[in-house]
Amino acid sequence: MRAILLLTLINAAGPAIGADTVIQNPAGRAAMTLNGAWHVIPDPYETGYYDYRRMPFDTAPNPGSGFFLDRKPADKSDLVEYDFDSSPTLQVPGDWNSQDDRFFYYEGTIWYRRTFDYTPSSADRRSFVHFGAVNYRADVYLNGQKLGTHIGGFTPFAFEITGKVRATGNSLVVKVDNTRHLDAVPTVNTDWLNYGGITRAVTILETPATFIHDYRIQLAPEATNRIAGQVQLSNAQAGVPVTVTIPELGVKIRTRSDTNGHAVFEAPARHVELWSPQHPRLYSVTLATDRDTTTDRIGFRTIAVRGSDILLNGKPVFLRGISLHEENPLRGGRAWSEDDARLLLGWARELGCNFVRLAHYPHNEHMARVADELGLMLWEEVPVYWTVQWDNPATLANATAQLTDLIARDHNRASVIVWSVANETPVTPARTGFLRTLIDTARTLDPTRLVSAAMEVHADPADNNHRIVDDPLGAYTDLLSFNEYIGWYDGLPDKLQQIRWTFGYRKPVVISEFGAGALQGMHGDRLTRFTEEHQEDLYRQTLTMLQGIPQWRGATPWILVDFRSPRRPLANVQDGWNRKGLIGSNGQKKKAFYVLQDFYGRKALESRAQP
Ligand code: GCB
């Protein structure tokens, strides 16, 4: 509800769509792709952004040498010290790190420019330029005019270009800056590579003057034979007729928008086949006004927690999970395409998973759509990682915006069952207050899903074999999720069998991480670090230990595939990769893959009645 309210307020306060409002189902509206080769100018000193007094050109009365002007010398004597046309190109979507060795560890600004022609299909149509994601800050200019700025590397944004876009010769310039900042989300310290660039698709979207900006369609609360939802139009216009049709459920709802351009509805449905991993049923849903139509494929299911059980469609479910970074090791670089999603989620299915943790930031929209189709439940997360500035209101606003946009983007995906607000954060009052605000936001925006965070384990100073999970944050989450590295950062795998657990809450324990590093193809005995045998042993012993925990309801071990991390320099072993993957950076499976596959196979058989 808050998302919708927020959109309404923004609409009332300014232009209908701002940088931070998410257009639902953009793929359903794509009019033209701007993917492909863009000319780029690396600008480590930000010469094209600031003048020599360090004043931004884009707010100066005389913008002079701002690269966003995409200028050409007026004549042979005119001085212009940059030229997009003769500069090299990079592919969009794509990170810059994996496209050119010179940019492998580059952090800073690169200017991107793309020219295009565009004529809307009719004069009364509106147009938007839509970005799937840009890491981390994007300043966007069309034909020398600033459209806006977006902050946050993993969420979509759009700017209206109606009346600004020309039939021919448009210049779209994006200043992309992936500099890490202490007050940012994430902060400067992460265990993954800070890929820069326009990492997801860029499209021109076309809409009527009043269009279906956002919608949410789901089962009515406490009912599996009623469909409920809401629609938000782009303009606060009353009395616009809205229809929602789900032909296979015999649903045809007719309603009208209120003065805020908002419509709420509920109607009975024919027998709904509920979405589950065993039966990932999706229904075609069409929303229409007198001027606009959009179609989506949506699944219906319930998710809840009762005591220490997780209930999917009312039945207890065990989460056979795995964690994933958004990276395609075979091509190298950030994953962004549907094919990438099929590769990664296909591996998860082969492992026997019914659940995937998309760590540690919002992954691209294909991931949730392919998961919907394959029947994989998802944990989605925002990059509040390790530590951010807990006392800084701007940092909280940033994290809130990222969470809000993630929820707005994926609130129609049946696959998503958990919103996670943080990973491995320190227990302090400031942090707990910060995260509680995020949890409250998630619950207000979406009361239909679980909310969690990957917490930490604490050692008992009086007993070396006693581990405690009693983080005060656990009082506010639905799951008791924590990362544990017994046998890797904490002793050797034989220690696992000695461990005794105390949990501060009677909630489902879902282990958000455990794991060990191993170089694919490196062999030795089970006590030798970085061998496949060591990792295999750790998996065996961890699974044995976990089975002794009565409230254990799932796990997302760390991690499906090796991933790039500048924190991992060990030569000939890590070489800049975190090697905790069950699959190596070469795409080959390690021994531990088969240990977990075997375990999940047995678990699936055991709970045949389960999804
Ligand atoms: C963690 C982090 C994860 C790291 C992992 C590791 O606890 O959540 O981002 O990559 O440990 O490999 O140390």
Side-chain angles (χ1 to χ4, degrees), residues 50 143 159 169 213 256 355 362 376 421 447 504 571 600:
Y50 293 110
N143 301 327
F159 296 106
H213 184 136
R256 281 178 186 275
F355 182 54
L376 285 163
V421 300
Y600 281 165

Side-chain angles (χ1 to χ4, degrees), residues 89-347:
T89 60
L90 285 173
Q91 286 298 313
V92 170
D95 61 85
W96 61 56
N97 317 63
S98 64
Q99 293 190 53
D100 184 331
D101 283 348
R102 287 173 304 166
F103 300 143
F104 190 71
Y105 279 129
Y106 181 75
E107 292 190 320
T109 285
I110 295 189
W111 293 85
Y112 283 68
R113 198 243 21 214
R114 161 88 198 226
T115 54
F116 64 98
D117 300 338
Y118 180 69
T119 307
S121 57
S122 68
D124 59 352
R125 305 283 284 178
R126 293 169 69 182
S127 314
F128 299 86
V129 57
H130 182 277
F131 295 82
V134 173
N135 192 34
Y136 171 78
R137 172 181 164 137
D139 290 273
V140 184
Y141 308 84
L142 180 68
N143 301 327
Q145 227 185 314
K146 187 157 192 170
L147 298 176
T149 299
H150 181 265
I151 287 179
F154 303 98
T155 40
F157 58 98
F159 296 106
E160 181 151 15
I161 56 172
T162 314
K164 296 177 181 154
V165 64
R166 302 181 194 135
T168 56
N170 291 287
S171 157
L172 181 64
V173 173
V174 187
K175 176 185 184 288
V176 182
D177 182 2
N178 72 333
T179 307
R180 289 169 296 137
H181 294 283
L182 275 170
D183 62 351
V185 181
T187 181
V188 293
N189 203 15
T190 65
D191 187 19
W192 68 81
L193 182 62
N194 177 29
Y195 287 108
I198 302 178
T199 49
R200 295 182 193 156
V202 186
T203 21
I204 305 275
L205 310 182
E206 216 184 273
T207 72
T210 297
F211 68 96
I212 299 165
H213 184 136
D214 194 9
Y215 54 86
R216 180 194 297 235
I217 319 283
Q218 53 202 191
L219 291 173
E222 314 289 326
T224 52
N225 58 355
R226 294 184 72 77
I227 299 293
Q230 41 184 307
V231 172
Q232 176 63 50
L233 305 178
S234 56
N235 289 332
Q237 236 192 62
V240 178
V242 177
T243 30
V244 183
T245 4
I246 313 176
E248 293 158 298
L249 291 178
V251 170
K252 181 147 191 152
I253 300 165
R254 287 197 174 77
T255 178
R256 281 178 186 275
S257 61
D258 64 15
T259 49
N260 295 319
H262 188 68
V264 180
F265 47 83
E266 189 177 321
R270 249 183 240 149
H271 173 70
V272 182
E273 292 171 42
L274 298 178
W275 183 98
S276 72
Q278 280 171 334
H279 185 65
R281 179 71 156 100
L282 300 176
Y283 289 93
S284 172
V285 178
T286 299
L287 298 104
T289 66
D290 45 352
R291 297 277 160 79
D292 192 23
T293 304
T294 183
T295 297
D296 207 339
R297 276 158 59 73
I298 297 180
F300 302 102
R301 53 109 194 89
T302 64
I303 191 78
V305 155
R306 189 181 56 205
S308 50
D309 280 335
I310 302 166
L311 305 179
L312 174 69
N313 298 326
K315 292 195 212 103
V317 63
F318 182 87
L319 302 178
R320 308 190 304 269
I322 192 71
S323 296
L324 264 188
H325 262 293
E326 190 191 37
E327 219 176 49
N328 177 338
L330 303 184
R331 194 190 57 234
R334 274 263 170 266
W336 58 270
S337 67
E338 185 179 333
D339 284 349
D340 291 339
R342 289 193 188 280
L343 173 80
L344 297 169
L345 298 178
W347 273 331

